[in-house]
Amino acid sequence: MVEIIVPILTPFNEKGEIDGEKVKTHVENLLKKGVDIIFVNGTTGVGPALSKDEKRKMLDYVLDVTNKVIFQVGSLNMKEVLELVNYANDRDIIAVASYPPYYFSIPKDFIVKYFKEICSVSKHPVYLYNYPGATGKDIDVNLAKEIGCIKGVKDTNPDFAHTIRYKELGIKTYNGLENLAIASLSILDGTVVGAGNYMPELFSQLREYIKAGDMRKALDLQLKIDEIDGTTIPYGKISSMYYLVKELQGYDVGVPRPPMYPLEENKVKELVEKVRKIWNK
Ligand code: ELE
């Protein structure tokens, strides 16, 4: 089955603490609307901005609802990375994932060592989260091959040919961009889509059209998704999603936490109106 994976938002209250009940409500709704797997502590979940304790909490809140989970453990603090891998070892999940050590200028063999170390500790499959636009490091098929133990990849990359090549390794392969969902759902193992937080049913519908071979309808829907997704960019994609879930899915997922700043009321109103108009919802 081709999978729809949502990198889940991390719901915060006004004090900046994670609200576990909101996580559960959100996960239940996503699964009901056709999402297969929840990606925890991804970019949309502000993974790099969470503490180790918060990352663990997010995993457990999601696990209260489903074990269809990929747990992102990446950090620049190696001790914490391995503690999170060990934490996952005691739980039933699909895989752990990590982006590479970012920020620093390091030789490739450090990246290889980083992932090998995770593999040596993890009892779960280890997935690569490749997002060169954010991390400044591209772990392509050749480097992934050198690492040797990578069992899946989420490639957030506009270069779809780059993503396809991981299939040479026979591993689970997903592209992480909304505007390539049609391609990902057609020929990869699925798609990882942040916008699935607030429009999961559109991605499910897209998968249905593709499955039925109705590519004309699939393309029209992809273009509609792109227009909605593009609308959120000037407001801050991640911040926007909190308000769009509330308006379009009908429940509260809390507020963003700085450095993802909350949006002013008039901006929210403007954004919601624009999105509703395109979606016709
Ligand atoms: C996307 C990134 C991409 C979804 C995650 C994801 O959130 O972990 O700003 O669209 O390039 O790959 O969020 O973000 P943009 O996998």
Side-chain angles (χ1 to χ4, degrees):
M1 225 261 283
V2 181
E3 290 146 339
I4 297 171
I5 305 177
V6 168
I8 193 173
L9 282 168
T10 299
F12 297 105
N13 64 23
E14 299 287 345
K15 285 191 258 169
E17 299 154 344
I18 296 178
D19 186 330
E21 281 310 308
K22 291 193 169 68
V23 178
K24 290 180 211 171
T25 308
H26 191 32
V27 174
E28 278 164 8
N29 178 59
L30 294 177
L31 298 178
K32 207 168 72 196
K33 301 263 169 89
V35 171
D36 304 288
I37 298 173
I38 306 294
F39 191 93
V40 175
N41 306 328
T43 303
T44 307
V46 295
L50 299 178
S51 70
K52 182 185 72 179
D53 189 44
E54 289 174 328
K55 288 176 186 163
R56 285 198 294 228
K57 277 192 179 147
M58 273 306 287
L59 174 64
D60 285 335
Y61 291 139
V62 175
L63 278 173
D64 278 343
V65 183
T66 181
N67 60 3
K68 301 281 183 250
V69 180
I70 300 171
F71 181 45
Q72 202 284 121
V73 298
S75 163
L76 295 180
N77 183 317
M78 197 65 207
K79 185 167 167 273
E80 292 195 359
V81 173
L82 298 179
E83 280 172 17
L84 290 171
V85 174
N86 269 313
Y87 194 73
N89 280 346
D90 296 332
R91 283 153 180 80
D92 176 26
I93 61 172
I94 293 174
V96 296
S98 182
Y99 32 72
Y102 50 96
Y103 190 77
F104 302 107
S105 188
I106 49 173
K108 287 204 168 135
D109 63 301
F110 287 15
I111 293 175
V112 172
K113 282 183 178 149
Y114 173 87
F115 280 101
K116 278 191 164 164
E117 209 170 334
I118 292 176
C119 290
S120 71
V121 173
S122 181
K123 74 166 216 215
H124 297 296
V126 175
Y127 286 13
L128 161 68
Y129 181 6
N130 192 47
Y131 188 1
T135 65
K137 314 259 183 289
D138 180 25
I139 297 138
D140 64 5
V141 63
N142 296 321
L143 196 49
K145 199 174 190 172
E146 214 177 297
I147 295 166
C149 57
I150 299 293
K151 296 285 189 290
V153 58
K154 166 169 79 130
D155 190 29
T156 296
N157 202 322
D159 180 355
F160 197 68
H162 180 286
T163 309
I164 290 174
R165 288 217 38 216
Y166 292 104
K167 281 315 274 181
E168 284 176 20
L169 304 178
I171 60 175
K172 285 264 187 187
T173 302
Y174 309 95
N175 184 282
L177 290 178
E178 280 86 1
N179 59 12
L180 287 170
I182 190 170
S184 303
L185 290 167
S186 297
I187 62 168
L188 299 176
D189 295 284
T191 183
V192 186
V193 277
N197 277 283
Y198 63 91
M199 45 177 174
E201 53 272 73
L202 294 192
F203 291 99
S204 292
Q205 180 70 67
L206 183 63
R207 176 170 57 187
E208 286 307 309
Y209 286 148
I210 294 166
K211 199 170 153 203
D214 210 336
M215 295 311 283
R216 184 65 238 178
K217 278 194 183 149
L219 181 58
D220 285 345
L221 181 53
Q222 174 71 69
L223 294 175
K224 189 189 228 183
I225 287 170
D226 295 351
E227 204 182 339
I228 295 172
D229 180 50
T231 303
T232 66
I233 294 171
Y235 299 88
K237 255 187 165 183
I238 296 175
S239 290
S240 298
M241 290 191 208
Y242 289 84
Y243 306 95
L244 291 174
V245 171
K246 187 165 185 198
E247 289 296 325
L248 302 166
Q249 296 298 316
Y251 51 85
D252 193 0
V253 280
V255 285
R257 180 174 77 178
M260 294 304 154
Y261 286 91
L263 303 184
E264 286 146 23
E265 230 171 273
N266 62 327
K267 291 272 182 195
V268 173
K269 198 164 165 272
E270 189 184 278
L271 169 70
V272 171
E273 266 169 28
K274 284 184 194 166
V275 171
R276 275 191 188 282
K277 201 162 162 219
I278 304 164
W279 188 345
N280 206 359
K281 187 174 160 94

